[in-house]
């Protein structure tokens, strides 16, 4: 509390004295104490205003520090308005006024940035009022700028400023997305900026930067994809590693499931063997009761339930149950049915007694059987009573002969979408059939993937539902049917109960496991190595003087069967004509390409006629100024050429369905030709020779050989495979026909057709050197040669394992040892006159086939990727158990 000064008290006292009498205490009931109370209340009121102003100034300073000028201005204005312009509040009011002016000008500037120029002008006018600070410089300056139409761009409205702020926010957001690699979100943010500001250069540049980074990613993605594919090629050259310590522990054993329905009843009827059955003049009901009792006694299942047998032979057609069977009993001797005489039973197989013409229940059975199944015994009983048996899901009914036992029911099944997928075009027999035209499985159209009718249909058609079930052993009596609804993968079957039970088993077996797919990868690896080694000596010799004679000269050899002498084949220069010409002594020795000849087919396809390439001369010795002149060239060659071929087709198919993959070229070639036509009538013409006389020339118009029929052969790689997953879910049976067909070339089976040239028979023709024959037509009949490598096999492997289908190795060895007669036989020196060439051509074709089981997502069921090793940490020293201490001796010395 600020105590009022003495001057203030004097002023208050003077005011009190000037008050009217009623206030001065002159009136009745008033005294001097009221005046003092009024003075105290006035002092307290003014002190409260000063305290409130101080608090408002403090709050305004806080808002101003946060640059919240909109909140600071009211605090300062209230403080200024509440403080009187008195000496004791002068300092505090000046402080509040100064802060009010500063915050108002800052708020006015903020309003300008927001595009609210009128609000800014009103704030300046408020500051320049007479009761505040009419000469405040910053307010005056800002007011002049506001009044100047060129100083501020007053087209910037609050809405525009709001868009600018939104653009800034979106730009920051887009940059954040770009820095974190979320390029699509960054593009979306930049697009939002362009919606607000269509000509925002920064947004366009940001999009450009994002697209560049996406392009950089695409380039790296491309490089990665290319490197990955090249790696796949390189990886396929590696041979599969043989597995060790493989056992059957990982093989899933097939669980045995109990049969249901009529199948269970049928199994019991066939498995229960009755040691002895004797009936003598027994009723049908007595025989049925006995057999039911024996079925309970001899049942091998636990609990022993036997077989329920129902006798439906009443005249109304209703069913009547068999009488209660007696309790099972044991003993060595089989008890006889009451009323039967065991001594007079007929032998088994005797003709049954004729049933009475009335009710079959009145028939009497006389029968003797030993070690027969329960079903056979029931059949004999029913046959003698003119009845028959009907196997139902829970019992065996014995009904009159007039009742049909083939009652049909309708049942609906939910099957997999591949239930009716096309089966292979052939079974095991077709695997051994030759594949014509690159096809397999005994079908020429299977490899091409098109139908024989030429309609262009590539997908094989589905079988009908009835055909699929019949192939599984289900019979369809008259009136039975099976329909498959592809839209909902439903199978609706109308058939007898026994057949429906069989279909239940088939569908259950198909749906036990999920759809199984098998990935087949077949690698064709062919390695070819051509090694050529040669060491030969080539001699050339010039003319020389025979010693002891000045008129006799000797010389080297001639060309003979070899190629013409060429100076380029030798290192040192020599003359090939004139008096100093040199001749080749070893021209008959084969070298280089002339040393190795091809086999019969290859020589027709790739003739080497006229080849003169010799092995290179690596060293030469020549006598230029000797008598005689000579030169010897040492020819040596050690050449290794290799060709590595790899083809790795891969295909994925479902279990039990054939798949074909073809990497082929369709090669069309003619098979039939029309013979050449040579007309009988010939035309004539004339031509002048160099002497100016005219010669008569006969013209023969010829129609050459023309192809009329063509065939197509597929060249390339073809893989046909039919995998079947075994019942353990781990083994895969494969029927494979991998095939590689290559085109080697053409062989011309035709021959030219010639005729005699009439012009050559004349004197003028003989003088001018006319040819004696004229080629009418070349008569070319080219036929292709194909090389085929094919393996047809059936194997069984485990999931993920590799089988080698073939290792077709071949090595051709050709050796040439030529020598100059006489000189080549000399010891030691004779090696200089011999040529030895050796060529080894090695070929090795290996076919690897790997089968892997895949789930519907395309992932391997057995992962082959290397997993991180889990290393168990060692226990810390404090976690280790304390070592055992030796026991203290019981006594001490």
């Amino acid at each position: 509390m600020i105590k009022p000064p003495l001057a203030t008290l004097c002023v208050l006292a003077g005011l009190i004295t000037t008050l009217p009498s009623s206030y001065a205490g002159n009136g009745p009931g008033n005294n001097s104490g009221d005046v003092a109370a009024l003075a105290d209340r006035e002092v307290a009121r003014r002190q409260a205003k000063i305290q409130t102003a101080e608090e408002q100034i403090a709050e305004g300073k806080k808002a101003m520090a946060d640059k919240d000028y909109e909140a600071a201005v009211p605090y300062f204005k209230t403080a200024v308005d509440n403080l009187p312009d008195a000496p004791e509040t002068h300092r505090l009011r000046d402080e509040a006024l100064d802060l009010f002016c500063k915050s108002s000008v800052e708020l006015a500037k903020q309003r300008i940035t927001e595009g609210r120029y009128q609000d800014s002008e009103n704030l300046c006018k408020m500051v320049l009022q007479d009761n505040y600070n009419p000469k405040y410089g910053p307010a005056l300056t800002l007011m002049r700028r506001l009044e100047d139409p060129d100083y501020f761009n007053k087209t910037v409205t609050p809405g525009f400023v709001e868009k600018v702020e939104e653009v800034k926010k979106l730009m920051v957001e887009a940059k954040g997305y770009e820095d974190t690699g979320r390029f699509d979100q960054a593009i979306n943010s930049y697009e939002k900026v362009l919606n607000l500001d269509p000509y925002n250069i920064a947004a366009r540049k940001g999009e450009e930067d994002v697209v560049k980074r996406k392009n950089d990613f695409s380039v790296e993605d491309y490089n990665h994809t290319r490197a990955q594919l090249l790696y796949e090629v390189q990886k396929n050259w590696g041979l599969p590693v043989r597995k060790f310590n493989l056992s059957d522990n990982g093989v899933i054993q097939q669980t045995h499931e109990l049969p249901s329905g009529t199948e269970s009843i049928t199994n019991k009827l066939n498995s229960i063997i009755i040691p002895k059955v004797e009936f003598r003049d027994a009723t049908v009901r007595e025989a049925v009761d006995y057999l039911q009792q024996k079925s309970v006694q001899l049942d091998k299942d636990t609990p022993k339930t036997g077989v329920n047998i129902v006798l439906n032979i009443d005249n109304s057609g209703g069913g009547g149950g068999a009488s209660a069977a007696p309790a099972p009993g044991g003993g060595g001797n089989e008890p006889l049915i009451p009323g039967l005489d065991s001594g007079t039973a007929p032998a088994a197989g005797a003709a049954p007694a004729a049933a009475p013409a009335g009710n079959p229940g009145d028939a009497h059975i006389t029968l003797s059987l030993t070690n027969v199944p329960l079903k056979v015994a029931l059949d004999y009983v029913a046959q003698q009573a003119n009845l028959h048996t009907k196997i139902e899901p829970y019992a065996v009914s014995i009904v009159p002969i007039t009742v049909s036992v083939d009652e049909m029911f309708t049942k609906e099944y939910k099957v997999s979408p591949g239930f009716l997928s096309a089966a292979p075009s052939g079974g095991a027999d077709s695997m051994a059939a030759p594949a014509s035209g690159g096809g397999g499985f005994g079908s020429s159209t299977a490899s091409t993937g098109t139908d024989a009718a030429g309609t262009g249909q590539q997908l094989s058609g589905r079988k009908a539902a009835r055909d699929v079930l019949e192939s599984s052993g289900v019979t369809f009596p008259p009136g039975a049917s099976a329909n498959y609804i592809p839209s909902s993968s439903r199978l609706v079957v109308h058939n007898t109960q026994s057949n429906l039970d069989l279909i239940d088993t088939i569908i259950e077996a198909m749906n036990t496991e999920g759809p199984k797919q098998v990935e087949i990868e077949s690698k064709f690896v062919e390695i070819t190595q051509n090694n050529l080694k040669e060491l030969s000596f080539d001699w050339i010799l010039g003319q020389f003087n025979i010693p002891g004679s000045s008129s006799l000269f000797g010389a080297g050899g001639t060309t003979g069967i070899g190629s013409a002498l060429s100076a380029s084949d030798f290192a040192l220069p020599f003359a090939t004509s004139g008096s100093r010409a040199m001749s080749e002594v070893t021209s008959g020795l084969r070298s280089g390409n002339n040393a190795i000849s091809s086999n019969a087919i290859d020589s027709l396809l790739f003739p080497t006629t006229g080849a003169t390439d010799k092995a290179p001369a690596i060293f030469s010795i020549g006598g230029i100024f000797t008598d005689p002149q000579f030169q010897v060239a040492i020819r040596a060659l050690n050449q290794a050429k290799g060709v590595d071929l790899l083809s790795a087709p891969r295909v994925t198919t479902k279990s039990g369905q054939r798949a074909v993959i073809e990497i082929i070229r369709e090669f069309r070639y003619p098979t039939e030709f029309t013979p050449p036509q040579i007309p009988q009538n010939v035309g004539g013409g004339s031509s002048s020779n160099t002497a100016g006389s005219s010669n008569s020339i006969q013209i023969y118009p010829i129609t050459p050989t023309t192809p009329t029929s063509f065939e197509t052969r597929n060249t390339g790689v073809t893989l046909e495979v039919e995998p079947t997953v075994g019942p353990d879910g781990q083994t895969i049976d494969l029927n494979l026909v991998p095939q590689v067909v290559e085109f080697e070339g053409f062989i011309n089976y035709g021959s030219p057709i010639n005729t005699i040239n009439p012009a050559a028979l004349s004197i003028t023709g003989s003088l001018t050197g006319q040819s004696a024959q004229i080629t009418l037509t070349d008569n070319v009949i080219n036929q292709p040669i194909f090389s085929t490598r094919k393996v047809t096999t059936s194997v069984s492997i485990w999931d993920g394992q590799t089988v080698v289908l073939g290792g077709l190795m071949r090595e051709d060895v050709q050796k040439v040892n030529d020598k100059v007669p006489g000189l080549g036989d000399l010891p030691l020196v004779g090696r200089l006159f011999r040529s030895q060439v050796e060529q080894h051509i090695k070929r090795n074709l290996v076919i690897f086939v790997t089968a892997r089981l895949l789930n519907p997502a395309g992932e391997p069921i057995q992962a082959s990727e290397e997993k991180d090793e889990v290393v168990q940490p060692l226990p810390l020293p404090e976690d280790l158990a304390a070592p055992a201490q030796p026991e203290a001796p019981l006594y001490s010395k």
Side-chain angles (χ1 to χ4, degrees), residues 812-826:
D812 296 338
V813 180
Q814 296 189 29
K815 296 183 179 180
V816 176
N817 192 352
D818 288 353
K819 61 183 178 180
V820 178
L823 296 177
D825 295 330
L826 296 176

Side-chain angles (χ1 to χ4, degrees), residues 559-893:
T559 300
I561 62 174
S563 58
L565 184 64
S566 175
S568 62
D569 293 333
F570 295 86
L572 300 178
F574 57 88
T576 58
S577 62
S579 59
R580 301 185 62 82
M582 301 177 69
S583 300
E584 189 173 5
V585 178
T586 56
S587 61
L589 304 185
R590 292 168 289 176
S591 174
N593 291 341
N594 288 331
I596 303 299
S597 61
S598 303
N599 56 43
I601 296 296
D602 291 340
S603 62
L604 291 174
L605 296 174
F606 313 107
T608 57
T609 304
T612 59
D613 295 336
K614 290 186 176 182
I618 63 172
F619 185 72
S620 295
I621 300 176
I624 303 300
F625 300 103
T626 58
D627 187 14
Q629 293 183 1
F630 72 94
Q631 184 176 167
V632 57
I634 302 176
R635 303 188 183 278
L637 180 64
N638 193 344
Q639 186 181 66
K641 297 185 295 183
V643 178
D644 301 338
L645 299 178
L646 169 66
S647 180
R650 183 182 301 176
V651 65
T652 301
T653 182
K654 291 183 179 180
S655 174
Q657 297 189 17
R658 182 174 67 104
V660 180
I661 183 170
E662 296 176 331
I663 309 174
I664 61 174
R665 285 185 177 180
E666 292 186 356
F667 187 89
R668 293 178 62 84
Y669 59 93
T671 56
E672 296 181 3
F673 301 84
T674 58
Q677 301 296 326
I678 303 177
Q680 301 298 326
N681 299 326
V682 298
S686 61
S687 64
S688 59
N689 53 23
T690 56
S693 61
S694 60
N695 297 327
S696 177
I697 300 177
Q698 301 296 326
I699 300 176
Y700 294 84
I702 301 297
T703 301
T705 301
T706 304
T708 58
S709 179
F710 293 84
E711 286 186 3
T712 300
R713 181 71 179 270
N714 295 332
T715 60
V717 177
T718 302
L719 173 63
E720 299 189 35
V721 58
E722 181 186 354
T724 303
V725 181
D728 56 3
Q730 295 293 323
T731 57
I732 305 173
D733 293 335
L734 296 176
N735 291 331
L736 287 164
V737 183
Q739 182 175 248
V740 179
V741 179
E742 295 176 346
F743 168 68
E744 299 292 346
F746 285 102
I747 294 180
N748 182 16
Y749 290 96
S751 59
I753 299 178
N754 301 323
T755 186
I756 299 175
N757 187 1
L761 300 178
S762 62
I763 299 177
T764 305
S766 61
L767 295 176
T768 57
Q770 294 286 339
S771 175
Q773 289 185 347
I774 297 178
T775 300
L776 298 179
T777 177
D778 293 333
N779 194 31
V780 176
I781 304 177
N782 285 330
Q783 289 296 295
I785 296 294
F786 299 96
S787 63
T788 302
R789 286 164 290 179
K790 183 176 70 170
V791 176
T792 301
T793 183
S794 297
V795 294
S796 180
I797 61 175
W798 281 359
D799 178 21
Q801 299 303 306
T802 302
V803 61
V804 180
L805 289 185
L808 308 178
M809 293 177 288
R810 173 185 174 185
E811 182 176 9
D812 296 338
V813 180
Q814 296 189 29
K815 296 183 179 180
V816 176
N817 192 352
D818 288 353
K819 61 183 178 180
V820 178
L823 296 177
D825 295 330
L826 296 176
L828 299 180
V829 182
R831 182 63 185 88
L832 301 178
F833 296 92
R834 294 199 299 266
S835 174
Q836 292 181 350
V837 182
E838 184 175 348
Q839 183 184 45
H840 294 258
I841 302 178
K842 304 176 182 179
R843 295 184 180 90
N844 189 358
L845 174 62
V846 185
I847 304 174
F848 300 95
V849 175
T850 304
R852 301 180 184 89
L853 291 177
L854 302 180
N855 58 21
E859 300 173 349
I861 294 180
Q862 291 187 358
S864 59
E865 290 80 6
E866 183 178 0
K867 296 183 179 179
D868 294 337
E869 180 181 2
V870 179
V871 181
Q872 297 293 339
L874 296 176
L876 297 176
E878 55 270 17
D879 297 335
L880 296 175
Q885 300 294 333
E887 295 182 359
L890 298 177
Y891 64 93
S892 60
K893 294 182 179 179

Side-chain angles (χ1 to χ4, degrees), residues 457-473:
Q457 181 181 357
Q458 305 250 348
L459 295 176
S460 56
R462 296 179 181 268
K463 283 188 174 182
R466 178 167 177 169
D467 296 337
V468 173
L469 295 176
E470 285 182 342
S471 63
S472 301

Side-chain angles (χ1 to χ4, degrees), residues 180-520:
T180 55
R182 291 176 284 181
F183 300 134
D184 294 334
Q185 290 90 331
I187 290 292
N188 292 337
S189 297
Y190 283 128
E191 291 291 341
K192 293 178 182 178
V193 171
L194 293 174
N195 287 331
L196 298 173
D197 186 5
Y199 302 102
N200 193 301
I201 298 177
R204 284 298 186 188
K205 183 171 179 56
E207 284 186 325
E208 180 184 358
D209 294 339
V210 172
V211 173
K212 284 183 179 179
R213 294 186 64 178
K214 292 178 69 175
N215 181 68
D216 294 341
F217 169 78
S218 299
V219 172
E220 295 301 327
D221 193 14
Y222 163 77
N223 293 334
H224 164 261
T225 302
R226 187 174 186 275
Q228 179 69 25
L229 295 179
L230 292 177
Y231 160 73
E232 292 289 340
V233 175
Q234 295 291 345
K235 183 187 70 172
N236 283 328
W237 280 109
L239 297 178
V241 180
R242 184 164 60 93
K243 302 292 184 179
F244 294 92
N245 300 327
L246 294 177
S247 62
D248 296 338
N249 295 333
V251 179
I252 301 175
Q253 299 295 334
Q254 182 75 11
T255 59
H256 177 71
E257 296 183 358
L258 295 176
S260 60
T262 58
E263 183 180 2
S264 176
I265 299 295
T266 304
N267 291 340
K268 281 193 175 184
L269 291 174
N270 293 325
S271 61
I272 296 177
I273 306 298
I274 302 177
K276 188 175 183 181
V277 177
E278 289 190 4
F279 297 124
R280 180 176 176 83
D281 200 24
T283 64
V284 175
R285 189 171 300 278
E286 291 174 344
V288 168
D289 290 343
Y290 174 76
L291 294 178
Q292 184 171 6
Q293 177 186 359
K294 299 303 293 183
S295 70
V296 174
Q297 294 177 0
L298 301 176
D299 192 357
K300 298 179 180 179
D301 297 337
T302 303
K304 295 185 176 183
T305 58
V307 178
N308 296 324
I309 305 175
V310 180
L311 190 62
N312 294 329
I313 57 175
D314 55 337
N315 293 330
S316 60
S323 61
N333 298 327
E334 295 294 334
L336 299 178
I337 296 298
L340 294 185
D341 184 4
S342 59
T344 59
N359 188 0
D362 299 334
H364 292 272
I365 308 300
T366 299
L367 187 64
S368 179
L369 299 172
T370 304
N371 292 328
V372 294
L374 178 60
K375 185 177 186 304
V376 175
L378 280 175
D379 290 339
Y380 273 113
V381 170
Q383 184 179 7
Q384 290 197 11
N386 199 19
L387 304 170
H388 57 189
T389 59
K390 179 181 179 182
I391 301 177
E392 296 178 350
Y394 302 100
V396 178
S397 296
I398 299 179
V399 295
I401 198 69
T402 57
V403 178
S404 174
V405 297
D406 293 333
E407 185 178 357
M408 295 189 183
F409 305 90
T410 301
K411 193 171 183 179
E412 179 181 328
Y413 301 91
K414 184 177 181 181
V415 296
S416 62
F419 175 72
L420 297 183
S421 298
S425 59
D429 297 338
S430 62
M431 294 295 299
S436 60
F441 292 89
S443 174
S444 60
T445 60
S447 62
T448 60
T450 57
D451 57 344
T455 60
Q457 181 181 357
Q458 305 250 348
L459 295 176
S460 56
R462 296 179 181 268
K463 283 188 174 182
R466 178 167 177 169
D467 296 337
V468 173
L469 295 176
E470 285 182 342
S471 63
S472 301
V474 180
T475 59
F476 281 81
S481 63
N483 297 305
Y484 174 70
I485 305 175
S487 59
S488 59
S489 296
R490 302 278 180 170
L491 177 66
V492 180
V493 181
H494 184 70
N495 210 321
T496 61
Q497 184 61 48
S498 59
N499 285 329
L500 289 178
D501 293 337
L502 178 57
I503 296 175
D504 290 341
T505 305
I506 296 173
I507 299 299
E508 182 180 0
M510 294 178 60
N511 296 334
T512 300
E513 299 290 341
K516 296 180 180 178
Q517 299 181 119
V518 184
E519 181 188 58
I520 305 297

Side-chain angles (χ1 to χ4, degrees), residues 24-45:
N26 295 328
N30 293 330
N31 52 37
S32 60
D34 295 336
V35 176
L38 180 62
D40 291 338
R41 286 196 299 269
E42 182 64 22
V43 171
R45 185 181 64 82

